[in-house]
Amino acid sequence: MELLKTVVFDDVWTELEKEYSMIDEAFEAYFKVFNQLKSLMPEPNHYGMRLAVARIEDGLEPGTYTYDVFGIKPGDNEHYALELLPWSELLSFEVIEKCVEAYSAAVVVAHSLYELTFLGYDAADVEANIKNEINILKERSKEIENGTAEFVSWDEVCKDIGYVDERTEEEKELQNKQFERINAENKKVYEMLLS
């Protein structure tokens, strides 16, 4: 991610502080991540993945906005999560220029850093955590394949946690319409950035 070389950490930190609830120790943690990323050797990008950052309205909290950070392959409209990729692999992703033009280099780097630190604040720790998560996913997949997985219905989950949906049918319909509106607006944002 060549973009790292074009920004100063203070600008990145300003964006992180503005958008996320940061504790005092976070400055040092993110500063170390920022510098560690600049020192890592990028791995080859065999799929031609590109990095995208989009500011979209939150479908669960209408009127609030969040940044969606994802990978995208040329000729593929799917958005790929980045949490289970080593940092050195992500460094080889080309950043979509329209994202930088729309938000600024510091904003794109800030939200990318936030996404990258989902499983830790050190490249080696993140790789170990990725391997652990992949092993868990493989175990769950085997349980599904061999029929030993225990499936729990959504109604059972709600009952277990004491959640009762007290919305009226009208409120549910209004919320569904609002969700459809948000999805349509967010789709426009993605199309503008990815076209």
Side-chain angles (χ1 to χ4, degrees):
M1 192 161 70
E2 290 292 316
L3 201 58
L4 279 170
K5 297 175 186 173
T6 70
V7 297
V8 293
F9 183 72
D10 287 343
D11 294 338
V12 172
W13 177 250
T14 298
E15 179 67 15
L16 285 168
E17 251 189 333
K18 182 178 96 180
E19 292 295 325
Y20 305 105
S21 299
M22 293 289 171
I23 59 173
D24 293 337
E25 297 80 22
F27 177 89
E28 188 65 32
Y30 278 99
F31 186 65
K32 286 180 181 177
V33 169
F34 181 79
N35 287 321
Q36 187 177 27
L37 285 168
K38 291 194 320 187
S39 70
L40 290 174
M41 181 65 71
E43 290 182 22
N45 184 353
H46 299 294
Y47 300 106
M49 285 283 254
R50 299 177 343 172
L51 179 86
V53 175
R55 184 175 183 268
I56 58 169
E57 188 170 357
D58 189 331
L60 299 176
E61 293 183 44
T64 62
Y65 291 81
T66 187
Y67 284 85
D68 186 13
V69 180
F70 56 94
I72 191 160
K73 295 179 189 176
D76 185 348
N77 291 329
E78 290 297 319
H79 296 190
Y80 293 91
L82 305 175
E83 293 89 349
L84 296 180
L85 289 177
W87 292 356
S88 56
E89 197 172 321
L90 292 165
L91 285 172
S92 66
F93 287 19
E94 175 189 336
V95 177
I96 295 175
E97 188 60 33
K98 284 186 182 179
C99 299
V100 176
E101 292 168 4
Y103 308 117
S104 85
V107 168
V108 169
V109 169
H111 296 287
S112 298
L113 288 181
Y114 190 78
E115 188 79 10
L116 294 179
T117 55
F118 184 74
L119 292 175
Y121 296 90
D122 175 80
D125 292 344
V126 167
E127 286 198 41
N129 290 335
I130 288 169
K131 287 178 184 171
N132 185 48
E133 291 296 320
I134 288 172
N135 287 336
I136 291 169
L137 289 170
K138 285 178 180 177
E139 287 175 25
R140 296 304 167 261
S141 181
K142 284 180 186 173
E143 290 173 0
I144 292 169
E145 288 172 9
N146 66 27
T148 61
E150 182 183 340
F151 296 99
V152 180
S153 73
W154 176 246
D155 291 337
E156 287 179 67
V157 171
C158 290
K159 182 180 173 187
D160 287 348
I161 63 172
Y163 173 75
V164 177
D165 187 353
E166 297 178 349
R167 296 175 300 161
T168 65
E169 289 304 315
E170 292 82 16
E171 290 170 328
K172 290 177 186 177
E173 181 63 28
L174 179 63
Q175 191 171 28
N176 285 340
K177 286 182 181 178
Q178 195 169 43
F179 192 71
E180 288 173 7
R181 178 200 55 81
I182 290 170
N183 282 340
E185 291 297 321
N186 289 344
K187 184 177 179 184
K188 291 177 189 175
V189 172
Y190 291 127
E191 288 172 351
M192 182 268 299
L193 293 171
L194 302 177
S195 63

